[in-house]
Amino acid sequence: MTANRPNHTGLEGRIAELIVEPLEAQGYELVRVQIMGTESPTVQIMADRADNAAFTLDDCTAVSHLLSAVLDVEDPITSAWTLEVSSAGIDRPLTRTKDFVRYAGFEAKIELNFPGPGNRKRFSGVLVGADEESVQLKVEKGEVLNLKRADFKKAKLILTDALIAFSTPEAPLQ
């Protein structure tokens, strides 16, 4: 795992391994692989542009064509499946160290696989910092928790006016 790559396991991990290098070679970064459903699953891929520019519909199309070709050749899922490519959005999942660092100061929700501090699984607060091992989250009453990333079930930003302002490029002056 690196600061620029998410950590996946199981089939999602296998798919991530297959697609991360072709994605990066085309100027994109993998945010998340998620498989939904069992009979004919949907493989959801979230990506960003490596240059931090907005991820456009053209980017979705390019990534979809690229990954369709890669996954058709490698065939990691034996049954029929559907590929869905999207941007991570403003209230994005937090999967990489660089995401936690970039969005320090913004509100996030983190859910653990099993109870952590205070015997709780779910936490909301302001991101303070992160490294490869843990994330610091300032919760109500100002307490800063150090949460182990290996214990994360999921983490995502909370949509706020401040996050929208940060994520929306300024309009050019007329």
Side-chain angles (χ1 to χ4, degrees):
M1 178 169 69
T2 71
N4 295 334
R5 290 183 177 173
N7 187 26
H8 291 87
T9 58
L11 181 56
E12 291 167 346
R14 167 98 173 100
I15 291 171
E17 287 174 17
L18 295 171
I19 66 173
V20 71
E21 288 183 11
L23 263 179
E24 289 173 352
Q26 295 300 313
Y28 298 101
E29 295 178 339
L30 179 62
V31 175
R32 182 178 76 189
V33 174
Q34 185 173 18
I35 299 173
M36 300 171 292
T38 53
E39 192 97 358
S40 61
T42 296
V43 177
Q44 182 190 66
I45 309 289
M46 286 188 180
D48 274 335
R49 289 176 51 123
D51 63 5
N52 289 326
F55 193 84
T56 66
L57 184 57
D58 288 341
D59 291 314
C60 272
T61 302
V63 169
S64 182
H65 289 301
L66 171 69
L67 299 184
S68 288
V70 170
L71 294 173
D72 283 347
V73 168
E74 296 294 337
D75 202 21
I77 300 175
T78 55
S79 64
W81 55 276
T82 304
L83 177 64
E84 178 182 292
V85 174
S86 68
S87 77
I90 294 174
D91 54 344
R92 64 182 37 244
L94 300 166
T95 60
R96 306 168 296 179
T97 301
K98 70 180 269 177
D99 297 329
F100 290 102
V101 171
R102 179 176 185 202
Y103 293 100
F106 292 98
E107 294 179 44
K109 290 181 188 178
I110 297 174
E111 184 176 345
L112 304 177
N113 286 310
F114 45 86
N119 208 28
R120 294 173 42 197
K121 289 175 88 173
R122 293 180 185 86
F123 301 89
S124 294
V126 176
L127 293 171
V128 176
D131 59 32
E132 293 294 316
E133 304 297 321
S134 63
V135 170
Q136 294 75 45
L137 187 71
K138 187 176 191 177
V139 295
E140 63 283 338
K141 299 180 184 173
E143 180 184 5
V144 176
L145 301 177
N146 193 48
L147 303 171
K148 291 182 183 165
R149 291 188 49 201
D151 298 342
F152 283 20
K153 181 174 184 179
K154 59 185 171 181
K156 71 177 286 224
L157 291 172
I158 297 173
L159 191 61
T160 63
D161 289 342
L163 180 61
I164 292 169
F166 177 79
S167 301
T168 306
E170 290 186 31
L173 297 174
Q174 299 291 330

